[in-house]
């Protein structure tokens, strides 16, 4: 199990930004075109509406620009761009190439695909690069799942949506914000949630649900154990916004009360790689985080991936 060695140079988030698709789609909008209804979707998923529209590059540029502006960092001084996405705009080149150019970055840029765990994978990867000498990184999680959803399939169309969240990370002289982390995958479960090239996403929702709670709890527990902290010390948990019932069950098993969970699912739906940063930065913008709060990010997704990271908010 990887534990961050003592003395490794850390990093902190100095700016963030968010973007959603431009078109709001309510449950009633969906009920007009498929066999479903607002009450069922709210009760079974926690989703009231979602936003769709835009390409992965467009949403990434919007959130990335906001993060750069907030941090006050010169785009040309960013040393690496890591874009987490499972819905790239093209097969080649990586969508990060387009984003790098549009934002005026002059650095290495690459995509990471770990489905809904993607942002945490990207965040941990960027911390590794900063420990190796990079000074500043831009980390973005973006997905445009509406483009690979079959809009006649009520199993998936009610859940997935589009969005993006971005963070500027800057190296610090101290230990930084990342206290501990865990990245997992079980490729033997790849058939539970997949999309063939050029085709729509297919999902065994019941099986994904059943496994999701367990793998989120496993990953979050490992991350807390690495750090030597217990659930009562967590000021805010930021779970992947997939289904309110998954979030509730995972929080219950972890022993973190729901009033300490960041929630955006009601209006975002499941935005995959964007889900965790959107919920984290929504909580930060709402003033829910103070200096040195312990924040636990935890996600799961196709692959089946899981990822968690413990941050000490604002730490140097
Ligand atoms: O990022 C990871 C992404 N994936 C997930 O997180 C998916 C995890 N899974 C889920 O969130 C849930 O399994 C779903 C929301 C996909 C489905 O909820 P469920 O509680 O597992 O429903 P179900 O498939 O067991 O269906 C229960 C009933 C069935 O009717 P009967 O057989 O009881 O009469 C379904 O036919 O609900 C019916 N149903 C619906 N009714 C209205 C299924 N989907 C819908 C729907 N609207 N959209």
């Amino acid at each position: 199990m990887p534990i961050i060695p003592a003395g490794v140079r850390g990093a902190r988030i100095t700016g963030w930004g968010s973007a959603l698709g431009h078109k709001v789609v309510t449950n009633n909008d969906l009920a007009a075109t498929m066999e479903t209804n607002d009450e069922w979707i709210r009760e079974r998923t926690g989703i009231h509406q979602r936003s769709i529209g835009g390409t992965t590059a467009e949403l990434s540029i919007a959130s990335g620009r906001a993060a750069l502006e907030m941090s006050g960092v010169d785009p040309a001084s960013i040393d690496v761009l890591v874009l987490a996405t499972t819905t790239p705009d093209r097969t080649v080149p990586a969508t990060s190439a387009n984003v790098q150019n549009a934002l005026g970055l002059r650095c290495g840029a690459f995509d990471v695909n770990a489905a809904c765990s993607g942002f945490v994978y990207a965040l941990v990867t960027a911390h590794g690069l900063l420990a190796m000498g990079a000074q500043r990184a831009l980390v973005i999680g973006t997905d445009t799942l509406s483009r690979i959803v079959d809009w006649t399939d009520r199993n998936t169309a009610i859940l997935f949506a589009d969005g993006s969240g971005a963070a500027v990370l800057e190296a610090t002289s101290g230990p930084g914000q990342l206290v501990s982390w865990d990245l997992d995958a079980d490729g033997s479960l790849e058939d539970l949630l997949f999309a063939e090239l050029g085709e729509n996403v297919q999902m065994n929702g019941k099986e994904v649900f059943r496994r999701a709670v367990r793998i989120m709890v496993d990953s979050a527990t490992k991350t807390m154990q690495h750090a030597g902290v217990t659930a009562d010390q967590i000021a805010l948990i930021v779970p992947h916004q997939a289904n309110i019932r998954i979030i509730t069950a995972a929080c219950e098993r972890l022993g973190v009360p729901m009033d300490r969970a960041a929630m955006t699912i009601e209006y975002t739906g499941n935005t995959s790689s964007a889900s965790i940063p959107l919920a984290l930065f929504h909580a930060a913008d709402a003033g829910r985080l103070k200096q040195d709060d312990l924040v636990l990010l935890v996600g799961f997704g196709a692959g089946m991936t899981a990822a968690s990271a413990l941050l000490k908010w604002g730490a140097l």
Side-chain angles (χ1 to χ4, degrees):
M1 278 208 217
I3 293 193
I4 301 171
V8 163
R9 185 165 76 147
R12 64 194 286 263
I13 297 171
T14 58
W16 58 83
S18 302
L20 291 177
H22 52 80
K23 185 180 173 208
V24 172
V25 177
T26 65
N27 293 341
N28 282 327
D29 292 335
L30 294 176
T33 60
M34 67 183 78
E35 194 64 28
T36 190
N37 59 77
D38 179 48
E39 193 189 353
W40 191 97
I41 300 173
R42 281 177 193 242
E43 275 176 14
R44 309 298 289 180
T45 71
I47 301 168
H48 297 192
Q49 63 178 55
R50 73 285 293 139
S51 294
I52 65 168
T55 65
T56 293
E58 283 164 359
L59 294 176
S60 303
I61 292 162
S63 70
R65 184 166 286 139
L68 287 164
E69 279 171 12
M70 180 176 172
S71 70
V73 156
D74 175 4
S77 74
I78 295 285
D79 292 317
V80 66
L81 166 64
V82 189
L83 171 62
T85 186
T86 199
T87 46
D89 291 334
R90 293 187 287 180
T91 305
V92 172
T95 306
S96 51
N98 188 337
V99 177
Q100 184 246 28
N101 181 45
L103 290 176
L105 311 186
R106 303 280 172 266
C107 60
F110 60 99
D111 287 9
V112 165
N113 179 352
C116 309
S117 307
F119 183 79
V120 179
Y121 266 71
L123 190 72
V124 172
T125 301
H127 272 86
L129 294 168
L130 292 165
M132 293 297 291
Q135 288 293 333
R136 290 172 205 89
L138 180 60
V139 181
I140 308 180
T142 307
D143 267 310
T144 49
L145 282 153
S146 71
R147 300 191 298 178
I148 59 161
V149 158
D150 172 357
W151 286 94
T152 63
D153 174 16
R154 68 177 184 175
N155 186 38
T156 50
I158 58 157
L159 296 175
F160 295 118
D162 304 340
S164 177
V168 171
L169 278 184
E170 294 190 64
T172 60
S173 47
Q177 284 181 333
L178 184 65
V179 182
S180 58
W181 57 275
D182 172 68
L183 303 181
D184 287 324
D186 181 353
S188 72
L189 301 174
E190 62 176 351
D191 288 342
L192 296 185
L193 179 51
F194 66 92
E196 298 295 350
L197 278 179
E199 293 180 17
N200 287 328
V201 69
Q202 295 183 50
M203 179 179 74
N204 179 340
K206 265 199 169 332
E207 263 315 294
V208 172
F209 192 118
R210 204 170 66 77
R211 311 237 179 204
V213 178
R214 195 166 68 225
I215 65 175
M216 278 173 95
V217 170
D218 282 354
S219 182
T221 302
K222 279 191 249 173
T223 285
M224 286 194 289
Q225 280 171 354
H226 291 176
V229 307
T230 48
D232 54 299
Q233 294 171 267
I234 303 298
L236 186 77
I237 185 167
V238 186
H240 168 42
Q241 308 286 305
N243 184 317
I244 186 123
R245 292 185 293 138
I246 293 175
I247 295 173
T248 308
C251 285
E252 212 165 86
R253 287 197 203 172
L254 284 168
V256 179
M258 278 299 278
D259 61 3
R260 282 195 249 147
M263 296 292 274
T264 54
I265 190 165
E266 192 179 307
Y267 70 94
T268 59
N270 180 344
T271 56
S272 192
S273 305
S275 151
I276 287 177
L278 283 173
L280 172 64
F281 301 136
H282 179 262
D285 288 338
R288 287 184 72 181
L289 292 174
K290 56 181 195 311
Q291 182 74 25
D292 294 345
D293 270 355
L294 287 175
V295 182
L296 180 60
L297 316 182
V298 57
F300 70 93
M304 267 190 86
T305 58
S308 53
L310 186 70
L311 303 180
K312 194 175 202 185
W313 193 251
L316 290 174

